[in-house]
Amino acid sequence: MGFDTSGLLPLSDALQGMLAQLDGCCDSEQLPLPEALGRVLAMDIASPLSVPPFDNSAMDGYAVRLADLAVGAPLIMAGKAFAGQPYQGEWPARHCVRIMTGAPVPAGTDAVVMQEETQADGDRITFLTTPVSGQNIRRRGEDIREGASVLAAGTRITAREMPLLASLGIASVPVRRPLKVAIFSTGDELKPIGTPLAHGDIYDSNRYGVRAMLDRMGCDCLDLGIIPDNPAQLRAAFLKADREADALITTGGVSVGEADFTKQLLEELGEIGFWKLAIKPGKPFAFGRLPHAWFFGLPGNPVSAMVTFDQLVQPALAKLAGQRFERPLQLQAIAAEPLKKAPGRLDFQRGILTQGPNGLEVRSTGSQDSAVFSSLSRANCYIVLERERGRVAAGETVTVEPFGGLLL
Ligand code: AMP
Ligand code: MG
């Protein structure tokens, strides 16, 4: 508060600057459909057939010709059509065909009358309504026409795409190989979980958060563990990541402390931009490239690391992986309590969004200090407060962004 924020880079500029430099870097391979879950389509998929592949009944009932009904007398049932067992017999005049949902309609059918609108007396069927031409018939190609584009390159295959592709009989799909991302944490104070802490130590939490988010994105993670604040060991880790991965994500060591060696090493090994972003949390952030791999340096503070990954690294990795990325929805909600905010940075406060009597309401999770990690796990959304906005009074409208796929 009170410090000069005019030199800080807006989030949108940082994002644009990164995305302009990045390009898809993953080759494609053909995979059997069940193995392609979570992968990104490498090519557009056109439908090899029409769906449905034949005209069929949308109801259990009777297939009729309108001319037969015009007479006004009951029709005689000529036979039955089941799903998978079309009716192939004769269809004499003044007859109808009993038909089940999904069965192909016999040639000449004008409409299907649902069973509830008929009365059966043995084989004599009386129709209680006058059908309209085409009623209850699902037409060939009504859902998807043969040759039509069904999914675009860049689509991630989820449970929603699986049945669609299967309905088209597509047994294998062209997908991109997963993006390979190396990660490590930096800091002499960090200890891996499962080991005791000495005075001054803390557990390395960032690596588990980043791994979880990479997992959610379908990336292949090369975990290089914890690297102490030691230039020689950091250098070796950078070089290994550069040899083996498409991108490297580190946390910590990107501020201006005396143990922050990342900057000097990266200036020596590659091309690096260190940015002070106009967002809170997450001010220090580094982006650049090593000889082969892209580099993303997240702040050490756990909340800052998660937020910068979610907001900045996620869209960048999606681009590298050839995946179409959609910005999460932003909604308007009423602040149910006052929110602390100083002008100068775009805030991503952690909030709890609920449905109130008059619409969406949002509350703060409490301390918004970037080291208070528990605030993230209690939250279900960001409260996005504009850069120049000051303190928010209860009852004001604010923008909220429900947590997207990475944080759910
Ligand atoms: P740094 O950016 O290295 O100066 O770290 C900023 C703060 O975040 C310090 O309090 C660090 O101890 C803490 N921190 C850095 N890395 C991690 C990590 N991997 N897990 C938990 N806390 C961390
Ligand atoms: Mg550090």
Side-chain angles (χ1 to χ4, degrees), residues 111-188:
V112 170
V113 180
M114 64 194 282
Q115 187 170 315
E116 291 82 346
E117 295 173 356
T118 64
Q119 259 171 9
D121 176 12
D123 276 359
R124 292 162 57 84
I125 314 297
T126 303
F127 291 84
L128 308 174
T129 56
T130 309
V132 191
S133 178
Q135 122 185 350
N136 297 326
I137 299 176
R138 298 192 287 225
R139 294 292 179 191
R140 171 187 155 83
E142 190 176 278
D143 185 1
I144 300 166
R145 289 198 176 282
E146 184 179 333
S149 165
V150 277
L151 290 172
T155 304
R156 178 125 188 255
I157 300 175
T158 70
R160 290 178 292 134
E161 284 72 32
M162 277 286 171
L164 172 61
L165 291 163
S167 76
L168 303 177
I170 293 175
S172 70
V173 281
V175 291
R176 302 228 167 258
R177 88 171 153 75
L179 191 70
K180 187 150 185 196
V181 183
I183 61 171
F184 63 80
S185 299
T186 67
D188 286 341

Side-chain angles (χ1 to χ4, degrees), residues 185-186 189-190 202-207 251-255 260 299-302:
S185 299
T186 67
E189 76 281 28
L190 303 178
I202 57 169
Y203 286 118
D204 170 16
S205 56
N206 291 346
R207 204 155 39 92
T251 74
V254 290
S255 25
D260 296 330
N301 269 320

